[in-house]
Amino acid sequence: MASNQPKEAQALLVEVEEEEVGVEKMHDHDDNLLLYQPVSPSSQCIHTSILSLCIIAIAESEIPINLSKILATLNDDLLRVNSRFSSIVVTDHKGLQWWKKVEVDVKDHVVVPSFPSGLSQETYTQHFKNYLSNIAQDQLPEKQPLWEMHVFMYPTSENTAGTLVFKMHHALGDGYSIMGALFSCLKRADDPSLPLTFPSSSGSSKSESLSSSGDQLMMKVGLKKMVRFVSGFWNSAAGFAWSVLQSTLLEDDQTVIRSGTPGVEFMPIDVTSVAFSLDHIRQVKSKVGGTVNDVVVGIVFYGTHLYSQAVAVDKTTTPSRTSNSRRTALVLLNTRMINGYRSLEDMIEKDLWGNHFSFIHLSIPSYSTSTDQEKVDPLSFILKAKKTIKRNRNSMSIYLNSALLRLVGSIKGPEAISQYVHSTMRNTSMAISNLAGPVEKMVIAEHPISNIYFMVSGCPQSLLCTILSYMGKLTLVMTTERGFIDSQLLASCMKEAFKKIFEEACGKDIVDGTNSSY
């Protein structure tokens, strides 16, 4: 295979054999070698002809966008976040990828679409939805760093006079890294000198009663540790085996949320969002226990169930797509042993930047159309999700999955990892990714941000759910296969799901609990 890489990089390859992130055996005697850094296996596997993923973050501005101010912020803040934002990917004669440092003109990465003036907000909203779908399907240019920003200069709601769309290739980093980079460009509206704060993700824990004697307490603690060890060992083995089977041999049924169409990642999409009050989410959490993530996953599962039932009303729907069937969700997890975001300095110093994620498989509760819907407990969807997530969190299966990917990559190369990850996603019915956003209102280049949310493009699935909290509101974005999933009906079912869950848990109706963003 002919090398596409300059001679300097080929010389570097002789001297640098490690592929791990952060390994830099650069040599001061040759400045050209400082231009190259190895692309980690986890980043290579999502930047291939088999699988190419992008993270798209959308920030809604309350005022008309001043492009010159935005460009200055990109140049001053974004480019300093990480050298990957000013590097392109090159491939050597062994097929390994490298980050090559290049000169960057931010204007080359900014796209400003033009639409007729004087249109209604509803018309501009439809234009934006179509535009978002189009850029999600487009590939990023390989001859420049793998990011771009689209500036939509038109109002789409009373609180949105313009919209910034950041499209970043997943090879640059995972959601934690990318959103952390964007948050570094954003400042607190009340006091830019203060750091952004994020909601706590820690759950409550009960301390051991002190009424027991010392010996009794030690015996209880020892017994709990033993049970926890045995349980953790079993959960790790079972969870890892189940994950491997799901990624290789087992495949979900074709249902109303999974078409199973080959190449679905290249098909047009619809993007719909629903917003929930974070306070209401926490009220449900306090009633059922667990975490905010457990509640959110339960809402998605119950909303999917209601959507399946609604579609089943259509007499043209085949029984195989609405009856009790195999449905699995792929839940993405951050494998960093930390809570919350860190400063850019900490992320770089402690090697937190990059793709540090794994996944767990969750069975989506499914009921046949003949089941009496009054007997279906809305809270059961949360409790089942909570139980499975806790079991996997307390096991080593998510880390074994990461180790397996590294092993496959070391033996067969990044293309094999890419094929494995693609198969893992393709065999499931949906993916869910949840991130915590700032508590305070933010501004970027003096533009107040009314809302911020994200999505992921390039996934070989008919349904993808991404969640981000901001200013006490949690936005659920549903990316769906156009023409197969009724995105508006699905959004309505998600709203109805939370309404019923809240009423069941808290015994009262929601007041201003949800609203659809668009």
Side-chain angles (χ1 to χ4, degrees), residues 144 149 233 267 283 311 320 414 453 473:
Q144 66 183 34
M149 184 183 72
F233 179 82
M267 296 181 176
Q283 287 180 48
V311 172
S320 62
Y453 50 96
K473 181 172 67 175

Side-chain angles (χ1 to χ4, degrees), residues 278-288 502 506 508:
L278 195 53
D279 284 340
H280 288 160
I281 295 279
R282 287 172 176 149
Q283 287 180 48
V284 174
K285 179 180 78 74
S286 67
K287 297 294 184 179
V288 300
F502 186 85
C506 303
K508 56 184 177 181

Side-chain angles (χ1 to χ4, degrees), residues 386-402:
K386 170 189 170 184
K387 180 179 179 180
T388 307
I389 293 174
K390 182 180 180 180
R391 183 172 66 245
N392 282 273
R393 276 291 193 186
N394 291 337
S395 77
M396 293 298 293
S397 60
I398 58 176
Y399 302 102
L400 291 175
N401 283 326
S402 297

Side-chain angles (χ1 to χ4, degrees), residues 43 73 95 271 335:
S43 291
T73 296
V271 182
T335 59

Side-chain angles (χ1 to χ4, degrees), residues 352-372:
L352 300 178
W353 184 275
N355 282 291
H356 300 268
F357 66 89
S358 189
F359 46 80
I360 59 175
H361 292 86
L362 296 184
S363 294
I364 304 173
S366 181
Y367 299 87
S368 66
T369 54
S370 60
T371 302
D372 185 356

Side-chain angles (χ1 to χ4, degrees), residues 18 28 55 78 112 164 168 231 267 276 279 285 289 341 344 357 367 393 407-408 491 502 517:
E18 287 91 340
D28 295 335
I55 298 173
L78 185 63
V112 184
L164 302 175
M168 314 281 190
S231 175
M267 296 181 176
F276 304 111
D279 284 340
K285 179 180 78 74
Y341 291 91
L344 290 175
F357 66 89
Y367 299 87
R393 276 291 193 186
L407 178 62
V408 171
F502 186 85
S517 296

Side-chain angles (χ1 to χ4, degrees), residues 60-131:
E60 298 175 346
S61 173
E62 294 181 356
I63 63 175
I65 295 174
N66 185 319
L67 187 56
S68 60
K69 289 185 177 181
I70 297 296
L71 291 176
T73 296
L74 290 179
N75 194 65
D76 295 341
D77 295 335
L78 185 63
L79 294 186
R80 75 175 179 85
V81 167
N82 192 283
S83 60
R84 298 181 188 183
F85 287 98
S86 54
S87 301
I88 62 174
V89 176
V90 294
T91 306
D92 65 19
H93 64 285
K94 291 185 178 180
L96 300 178
Q97 296 178 355
W98 298 79
W99 296 108
K100 177 186 176 183
K101 185 80 171 178
V102 296
E103 292 294 326
V104 176
D105 185 346
V106 295
K107 292 181 181 179
D108 296 335
H109 294 260
V110 177
V111 181
V112 184
S114 178
F115 294 95
S117 60
L119 302 180
S120 65
Q121 287 183 0
E122 292 76 12
T123 303
Y124 283 131
T125 297
Q126 189 59 48
H127 280 311
F128 177 73
K129 292 174 66 175
N130 293 334
Y131 184 75

